[in-house]
Amino acid sequence: MKKIDRRKFLKVTGVAAGTAALASACAPKKVKNTGENGEMEYRINTNNGDKVSLLGYGCMRWKMIKDADGKEIIDQESVNELVDYAIEHGVNYFDTSPVYLQGQSETATGIALARHPRESYFLATKLSNFGIYTKEQSLKMYYDSFKELHTDYFDYYLLHSIGRGGDHAFNERYVDNGILDFLLEERKAGRIRNLGFSFHGNQENFDYLLGLHEKYHWDFIQIEMNYIDWRHADGVRNVNAEYLYEKIAALDIPIIIMEPLLGGRLASLPDNIADKLKEREPQKSLASWAFRFVGSYPKVLCILSGMTYRSDLEDNVDTFTNFKPLTGEEKDFLEHMAIMYSQYPIVNCTNCKYCMPCPWGIDIPGIFKHYNTCINEGIFAGSRDESDYARNKRKYLTSYNKAIPTVRQADHCIFCRKCLPACPQSINIPRELKRIDDYIEKLKQDTL
Amino acid sequence: MLKKARIVSATIFFILITLLFLDHTGTLKAYVGWMAKIQFLPAVLAANTGVVIALILVTLIFGRIYCSVVCPMGVLQDIIFAGKRKAVKKARMQQSYSKEKKVLRYGVLILFIILMVAGVNSVAILIAPYSAYGRIVSSISHPVMPVAAIAAVTLVVIVALALHGGRTWCNTICPVGTILGFFSRFAIFRIMIDTSKCVKCHYCEKRCKASCIDIENQKIDASRCVNCFDCIDNCKLNGLKYGFAYRSKEKTNEEHKKSTPDKGRRAFLVGSVILAGTVTARAQEKHLDGGLAEVLPKTEPERDERITPPGSRSHKEFYSKCTACQLCITQCPNHVLKPSTDLKHLMQPVMSYTDGYCRPECTVCSDVCPAGAILPITREEKTVTKIGLAKVNPELCISCAHCAVRCPAHAIRMVKGIPAVNESKCIGCGQCENLCPVRPISAIAVSGYKVHKTEE
């Protein structure tokens, strides 16, 4: 395998970036890159001088289509088109995983990226050894990623979704089987340029992992951050992003952001919140607010967005070109919106589909998405006495049957609880399904 | 003027009844449901005496307005015939008077009644006009075998007959046409030829879709005239008029003698008598796909007895009255009612829980049934009407307890890890069977009761 040292890498990425990095302090620093379509916002990884676009491509949400046999496959043509557009407009960070999209993400992403010079982008993938922790399986996953992504080094490599289950789970997945030691060696060898982890869990879990920094030296940490999670995580199973950010920033570890839109939920808000955002910026998308919020924090190196459609990508490129951080007043405004948002009985699902496939065929994220969408659109009845009860009932039930085939609806959940450990948001999925089904039963029987 | 009024009202009836069959949201039935309930044959079977008497009175007074306005099958033939006339110029003047085929008409009617009385409804209902039309329309939106095949054959026959001679079907085969024709023979108001104005040009005769104008003898066969009023509009000499028929005696007495009122009346009365039978059913399967875990479509389990919907009271009553018009099947929001493929009950609905279950709040089939095969039932009555009993197959059961959790009657409890059904509580709604995670054959399945049990 090809060995790349930092110096060589700096040469490739450009002298300007390099000098900027050397001159800078430890924190990531803003650098502007003048492209033909305006200026994409870049941040410098102060550890090694990587000049990373603030907008990163999350490869978990590529468009799926059905092949001739009815099997769901990634629409490679659209992936190629999106990747080309992204690179052309300055996006240079791509984040995937061996388990995304029924295991197809790395393949599709690899095909699209292989059409571009390897040094023109940063590649991130993960050791997603969920369920099976053996060293053999983990190693196989690691080596397969090289093949799928047509590379001999990873710029950023993550221990995928750790935190929940505390030290026990961490040791089981990465320490006891010796895989973390192996990865540290790989970092030394240069095949992993940056080693870090993505975090889901509570404060205790986080403190434990951050405490391991001295031992392992995390090159970066990927956290969930957005204007809801900033101060309104539930505090029991999740922890406020403000806490995470401050802690990591204090250690000068570069931060990569996931779920800036909560799986698209912050791009389609309840009407009265959406109205308030539009009042201020009628021409700007709801999503742009969420991105600007996260991007306003200087130690954020890169913000991942899983852009399925060209329009999403264009809008995001627009947001990150000539990037405008939020003012203090605007941050306060969003905090106010976050308080409003937390009043809604929305299910905290980001549509990552880790819970799928449900062995009983239930479309868990589909049901949550439909429920959340209905709440956003005000298609929700509090009681039978409301004047628009009949209308809301009809709309809810009709759209439910349209969105979810009968055999995949919530009433088929038998509480086997197999989905529970899979959810990074720690949603009590069976209980939430039951909550939604109870609501549906009440609507159907007019007993609300 | 009369023709215009006929066309306008027929169009309204035709469109709304057609939409009723196509509307799977169930919204139209509240407004248009009555149009199905005033259909003659269903009303007879429903023992809906008010409607039957009203329809007969209307016919006795005004003639067969029913056939030109209310009956969708009649209107369909008018549309086909009108289309042919529009398309082929020659066809405009192709009709001619033909003698009434009494033997055929009454023969078919008698055979129809015998079959209904003998409980061989599945054959008899093939020529029931409203139901045949219902099968055609429902097959357009949801083609299901064997209904679709039979509907297709029916449609071909109807189109062929309509193209050939307008209302041939109505005046030779249709049992309702024959019954109403019997009454319209004596209609108080009818179309008559003004012999002082008529020059026997045959124009009206050649354009009469019922072939009932005998211009040589200047007579109109009121038993076959469906009151389309075309002839009145067509005659430039105002040689025809619609009016009181008993003013001058010489015009009306002949038919009086010819007719066989006793036979017809008897036949009609027998027609409203009821009988039926039973057997098992099989429903169709549905295919699902997607990147989610595969969900096998459920297959119909062995049932000791078929299940009929709440409100039908017993298999006997249900199957003797149902004309297989498919209205309940198209309207069932839970996809429980399906056309039977069994020969004895061909196309008549039977319940299956493979694609859904009989929801506690739903009374749609009992609301729409025009034939009284499913009598109106309230939600409250429904919750205490036992239409069948669930039975567990312990060999298939995975002990998930989902059936016990879901049962709306609280009839299922887990005993040593296996669900046990309390027969005194189970109402046979099928929620347990439909939601059972075991596929393709559920570990719990409902068998119907021949006679529904109701609590005091």
Side-chain angles (χ1 to χ4, degrees):
Chain A
M1 279 189 194
K2 191 175 148 196
K3 202 180 153 186
I4 291 244
D5 61 16
R6 282 179 192 166
R7 192 174 307 258
K8 186 172 172 193
F9 191 82
L10 288 178
K11 268 189 212 160
V12 178
T13 46
V15 184
T19 29
L22 291 172
S24 74
C26 275
K29 201 191 160 191
K30 283 165 69 173
V31 179
K32 298 273 182 181
N33 179 45
T34 313
E36 51 178 299
N37 295 301
E39 295 177 339
M40 166 61 66
E41 178 86 359
Y42 288 91
R43 301 262 165 105
I44 300 297
N45 180 342
T46 48
N47 288 338
N48 58 11
D50 285 359
K51 186 181 153 203
V52 180
S53 58
L54 186 54
L55 173 63
Y57 218 121
C59 305
M60 193 176 80
R61 303 183 197 269
W62 295 127
K63 176 139 183 60
M64 301 295 273
I65 51 172
K66 298 230 167 82
D67 71 358
D69 305 326
K71 193 177 164 284
E72 273 201 310
I73 53 162
I74 293 177
D75 179 6
Q76 186 67 47
E77 218 173 290
S78 82
V79 176
N80 293 352
E81 192 202 320
L82 290 167
V83 166
D84 293 350
Y85 183 94
I87 289 181
E88 193 187 315
H89 289 81
V91 175
N92 68 1
Y93 189 99
F94 293 84
D95 171 274
T96 178
S97 152
V99 296
Y100 285 167
L101 296 166
Q102 299 164 45
Q104 300 175 41
S105 172
E106 276 193 346
T107 318
T109 309
I111 291 171
L113 284 175
R115 295 149 59 252
H116 296 270
R118 176 65 184 86
E119 62 278 3
S120 65
Y121 56 87
F122 299 107
L123 193 53
T125 191
K126 314 186 176 76
L127 190 57
S128 315
N129 57 350
F130 299 114
I132 309 159
Y133 313 135
T134 63
K135 182 160 188 179
E136 292 70 38
Q137 282 300 321
S138 302
L139 285 177
K140 184 175 184 304
M141 184 175 273
Y142 174 72
Y143 287 123
D144 281 350
S145 292
F146 285 106
K147 280 182 234 152
E148 296 289 1
L149 293 164
H150 311 281
T151 186
D152 43 22
Y153 68 95
F154 300 124
D155 298 288
Y156 292 80
Y157 199 74
L158 296 92
L159 310 182
H160 193 176
S161 185
I162 56 175
R164 285 174 310 133
D167 56 337
H168 176 74
F170 177 74
N171 287 333
E172 207 172 34
R173 276 179 68 186
Y174 295 107
V175 181
D176 298 345
N177 56 13
I179 202 73
L180 184 54
D181 288 334
F182 166 79
L183 293 177
L184 292 170
E185 287 304 310
E186 289 293 288
R187 176 166 69 180
K188 260 186 212 158
R191 285 185 284 273
I192 293 174
R193 294 186 50 248
N194 296 276
L195 184 63
F197 64 88
S198 59
F199 174 79
H200 291 282
N202 61 24
Q203 186 177 327
E204 188 190 337
N205 304 147
F206 180 74
D207 291 343
Y208 169 76
L209 290 170
L210 206 59
L212 295 174
H213 180 54
E214 274 178 42
K215 188 169 171 191
Y216 298 122
H217 183 80
W218 306 120
D219 295 309
F220 66 104
I221 296 175
Q222 186 162 310
I223 58 166
E224 179 173 320
M225 177 167 148
N226 48 66
Y227 62 86
I228 304 294
D229 280 315
W230 186 246
R231 279 181 192 156
H232 301 274
D234 74 2
V236 182
R237 287 163 281 133
N238 298 325
V239 51
N240 283 341
E242 183 176 25
Y243 177 86
L244 301 176
Y245 177 85
E246 298 295 346
K247 282 275 184 182
I248 304 170
L251 293 174
D252 271 334
I253 302 171
I255 304 172
I256 292 179
I257 302 303
M258 57 185 162
E259 304 294 2
L261 295 181
L262 283 171
R265 280 196 280 131
L266 299 186
S268 59
L269 293 160
D271 283 344
N272 66 337
I273 297 180
D275 288 350
K276 291 199 162 58
L277 299 189
K278 289 290 179 189
E279 243 169 59
R280 286 174 165 245
E281 298 268 15
Q283 303 303 325
K284 296 290 179 191
S285 65
L286 303 177
S288 71
W289 281 93
F291 286 119
R292 286 176 61 211
F293 173 84
V294 183
S296 300
Y297 291 88
K299 307 217 169 170
V300 168
L301 178 67
C302 180
I303 303 166
L304 299 175
S305 175
M307 297 160 282
T308 312
Y309 299 102
R310 171 76 173 255
S311 54
D312 303 338
L313 175 58
E314 284 173 7
D315 181 51
N316 292 354
V317 163
D318 186 53
T319 302
F320 286 97
T321 302
N322 303 324
F323 183 77
K324 273 208 309 268
L326 295 182
T327 63
E329 190 273 332
E330 283 171 327
K331 278 187 190 168
D332 293 344
F333 164 70
L334 279 187
E335 168 60 14
H336 185 61
M337 295 300 106
I339 292 169
M340 279 174 69
Y341 189 80
S342 51
Q343 312 294 317
Y344 288 85
I346 281 169
V347 183
N348 187 26
C349 170
T350 63
N351 198 18
C352 71
K353 299 192 173 75
Y354 287 13
C355 55
M356 299 296 282
C358 161
W360 307 105
I362 299 169
D363 185 358
I364 299 167
I367 292 165
F368 290 159
K369 193 176 175 197
H370 169 261
Y371 179 81
N372 287 346
T373 306
C374 283
I375 287 177
N376 282 347
E377 292 170 7
I379 305 168
F380 192 79
S383 91
R384 223 172 353 147
D385 306 326
E386 290 170 6
S387 58
D388 49 359
Y389 170 78
R391 178 183 143 273
N392 283 336
K393 170 186 168 172
R394 194 183 62 246
K395 275 193 167 177
Y396 190 95
L397 295 178
T398 317
S399 56
Y400 184 56
N401 286 332
K402 218 181 234 175
I404 317 288
T406 326
V407 292
R408 302 195 183 282
Q409 291 183 353
D411 55 359
H412 285 82
C413 173
I414 64 166
F415 273 74
C416 76
R417 298 182 175 83
K418 284 206 174 86
C419 50
L420 276 182
C423 180
Q425 307 298 327
S426 302
I427 298 170
N428 190 330
I429 293 170
R431 205 191 292 160
E432 288 293 279
L433 286 176
K434 179 153 192 333
R435 176 168 75 88
I436 292 172
D437 189 57
D438 284 349
Y439 171 66
I440 291 167
E441 276 294 321
K442 281 179 184 158
L443 282 184
K444 284 183 175 173
Q445 300 192 31
D446 288 319
T447 51
L448 199 70
Chain B
M1 190 59 215
L2 282 168
K3 180 186 176 185
K4 263 188 194 153
R6 188 262 305 176
I7 289 176
V8 168
S9 42
T11 309
I12 294 170
F13 261 86
F14 185 75
I15 290 175
L16 289 178
I17 287 190
T18 306
L19 288 176
L20 181 64
F21 277 98
L22 295 175
D23 169 38
H24 295 281
T25 64
T27 37
L28 264 184
K29 71 175 194 305
Y31 311 100
V32 194
W34 60 273
M35 287 188 175
K37 300 222 164 154
I38 60 163
Q39 296 294 323
F40 190 79
L41 198 58
V44 169
L45 291 164
N48 212 336
T49 22
V51 170
V52 174
I53 290 172
L55 288 176
I56 289 174
L57 279 179
V58 166
T59 310
L60 271 175
I61 298 170
F62 299 107
R64 286 169 66 180
I65 286 177
Y66 174 91
C67 299
S68 268
V69 174
V70 181
C71 175
M73 192 59 111
V75 180
L76 176 66
Q77 293 170 76
D78 285 353
I79 292 170
I80 295 165
F81 196 58
K84 181 193 171 190
R85 281 178 165 170
K86 271 259 153 65
V88 189
K89 274 204 171 168
K90 253 210 242 155
R92 287 178 192 168
M93 300 287 279
Q94 252 179 5
Q95 296 290 97
S96 64
Y97 174 74
S98 63
K99 281 201 161 176
E100 183 185 7
K101 296 178 177 56
K102 268 196 178 156
V103 179
L104 181 59
R105 280 183 97 176
Y106 288 106
V108 171
L109 176 63
I110 290 163
L111 185 67
F112 178 80
I113 292 166
I114 290 173
L115 288 173
M116 290 296 279
V117 172
V120 198
N121 299 31
S122 52
V123 180
I125 54 172
L126 291 176
I127 57 166
Y130 154 77
S131 308
Y133 182 75
R135 289 190 287 270
I136 292 169
V137 177
S138 64
S139 294
I140 291 169
S141 60
H142 273 73
V144 181
M145 284 299 159
V147 178
I150 289 166
V153 172
T154 312
L155 185 62
V156 168
V157 171
I158 290 286
V159 170
L161 286 177
L163 287 178
H164 175 259
R167 290 292 194 126
T168 309
W169 163 279
C170 307
N171 286 330
T172 49
I173 296 167
C174 177
V176 177
T178 306
I179 293 171
L180 292 181
F182 166 76
F183 290 107
S184 73
R185 213 182 280 278
F186 316 110
I188 297 170
F189 291 91
R190 42 183 123 142
I191 299 171
M192 292 163 297
I193 299 170
D194 186 339
T195 45
S196 65
K197 288 182 182 165
C198 174
V199 296
K200 295 193 181 179
C201 74
H202 289 262
Y203 189 78
C204 56
E205 180 185 325
K206 284 178 177 171
R207 294 180 65 107
C208 174
K209 59 193 170 201
S211 303
C212 69
I213 304 176
D214 178 5
I215 217 70
E216 272 316 311
N217 299 311
Q218 294 187 321
K219 287 208 169 78
I220 295 175
D221 179 358
S223 84
R224 283 182 293 158
C225 172
V226 292
N227 286 9
C228 73
F229 306 119
D230 285 5
C231 51
I232 297 179
D233 254 38
N234 287 337
C235 185
K236 311 240 167 13
L237 302 167
N238 292 326
L240 296 114
K241 61 172 198 267
Y242 181 67
F244 188 61
Y246 290 95
R247 208 172 304 164
S248 51
K249 271 179 187 168
E250 65 253 35
K251 269 185 186 171
T252 50
N253 44 22
E254 243 176 67
E255 288 105 318
H256 237 296
K257 284 168 195 161
K258 271 191 215 162
S259 66
T260 51
D262 283 340
K263 200 173 163 192
R265 191 165 297 146
R266 199 172 308 132
F268 164 66
L269 291 174
V270 179
S272 43
V273 178
I274 309 136
L275 270 200
T278 52
V279 174
T280 48
R282 196 141 295 230
Q284 98 280 33
E285 290 164 19
K286 223 172 145 184
H287 253 295
L288 294 162
D289 44 23
L292 307 128
E294 193 187 1
V295 179
L296 290 172
K298 292 219 175 204
T299 50
E300 185 75 2
E302 288 286 329
R303 303 194 198 277
D304 299 336
E305 201 60 72
R306 51 173 52 210
I307 321 163
T308 58
S312 62
R313 292 154 300 146
S314 72
H315 290 188
K316 199 173 157 186
E317 290 173 270
F318 181 54
Y319 287 115
S320 64
K321 292 192 172 180
C322 171
T323 64
C325 75
Q326 313 292 307
L327 187 57
C328 59
I329 294 171
T330 64
Q331 297 294 300
C332 176
N334 303 305
H335 311 292
V336 170
L337 288 169
K338 313 211 162 154
S340 174
T341 54
D342 169 61
L343 269 186
K344 207 168 171 196
H345 305 295
L346 200 62
M347 303 184 299
Q348 292 178 318
V350 65
M351 290 173 92
S352 158
Y353 298 139
T354 51
D355 299 329
Y357 58 89
C358 195
R359 297 263 328 154
E361 74 280 357
C362 175
T363 56
V364 167
C365 57
S366 84
D367 297 339
V368 298
C369 179
I374 312 168
L375 288 179
I377 187 169
T378 64
R379 281 187 196 191
E380 291 71 28
E381 285 165 347
K382 186 178 170 175
T383 56
V384 291
T385 301
K386 301 184 178 73
I387 61 170
L389 176 65
K391 231 186 212 170
V392 181
N393 182 345
E395 281 171 25
L396 294 176
C397 181
I398 58 166
S399 300
C400 69
H402 196 45
C403 53
V405 171
R406 300 292 312 194
C407 178
H410 307 291
I412 307 176
R413 296 179 72 84
M414 298 301 283
V415 178
K416 291 177 182 159
I418 297 289
V421 183
N422 183 337
E423 63 285 342
S424 71
K425 287 183 176 177
C426 174
I427 56 171
C429 71
Q431 179 154 185
C432 53
E433 180 185 323
N434 180 251
L435 296 180
C436 175
V438 180
R439 287 170 180 271
I441 294 182
S442 300
I444 186 165
V446 177
S447 280
Y449 288 134
K450 272 190 171 179
V451 178
H452 293 176
K453 299 179 180 178
T454 44
E455 280 176 1
E456 289 309 302

